[in-house]
Amino acid sequence: MTDSNIIDNFIDEREFRNYVISLLPKFGYELISIDDVRISDEDIKNNNDVLARKDGRRYAIQTYLNKDITLDELNEAIIDKLLEHTSYALIITNKCIDKDVKEKALSRNITLIDREDLIKVIPQE
């Protein structure tokens, strides 16, 4: 069974978030902070609890498990950037992302890591 199959079928959203955070260095990101939402998330509408840095830029990070990324998720990332006082956001998902959404994300300083990117760095045996 491959790691991607395990991700798709056997883990929850928190486990996915923690797993992909462990992969951040493989994408060139340095973790700044991660909060445990079970004990420290005061704002239930804002699920961004991860900040990272790459090339001197701070990123608000959102992870999505088994969820299509649409303009709604891009808008959430924009709100997170404002709340976290960053100019950049990163969305990580185990699903493939539509080309149109990728283009819109790029124009809004939102970096996307999707299934194709993850498969390049996770074990597939």
Side-chain angles (χ1 to χ4, degrees):
M1 185 175 298
T2 66
D3 278 11
S4 57
N5 185 40
I6 293 168
I7 290 169
D8 293 345
N9 298 296
F10 299 107
I11 68 173
D12 64 27
E13 290 176 4
R14 186 177 52 86
E15 292 168 323
F16 177 67
R17 180 194 71 169
N18 292 337
Y19 179 68
V20 297
I21 286 169
S22 74
L23 298 175
L24 286 177
K26 292 184 179 192
F27 292 103
Y29 292 88
E30 171 192 357
L31 184 64
I32 296 173
S33 67
I34 179 173
D35 293 335
D36 187 335
V37 295
R38 296 171 297 173
I39 59 175
S40 64
D41 198 357
E42 297 171 8
D43 184 354
I44 59 171
K45 292 183 179 180
N46 177 15
N47 62 355
N48 177 49
D49 298 299
V50 181
L51 295 173
R53 180 178 293 113
K54 182 176 181 176
D55 300 328
R57 299 175 177 160
R58 283 175 21 109
Y59 289 79
I61 300 175
Q62 292 181 324
T63 59
Y64 293 96
L65 176 66
N66 296 325
K67 183 171 184 349
D68 291 324
I69 304 303
T70 67
L71 295 179
D72 289 339
E73 286 72 31
L74 297 185
N75 289 333
E76 286 182 33
I78 290 168
I79 292 168
D80 277 349
K81 289 191 309 179
L82 294 171
L83 293 172
E84 297 295 339
H85 308 289
T86 68
S87 297
Y88 300 91
L90 172 62
I91 293 175
I92 306 170
T93 181
N94 66 317
K95 303 271 285 192
C96 290
I97 299 174
D98 179 85
K99 182 181 176 183
D100 184 51
V101 172
K102 287 182 178 182
E103 290 172 1
K104 287 184 169 72
L106 187 61
S107 71
R108 296 174 175 147
N109 288 336
I110 302 170
T111 302
L112 303 173
I113 295 176
D114 70 354
R115 182 176 199 84
E116 293 173 2
D117 301 316
L118 285 176
I119 286 177
K120 294 175 186 174
V121 299
I122 61 175
Q124 294 299 312
E125 295 181 25

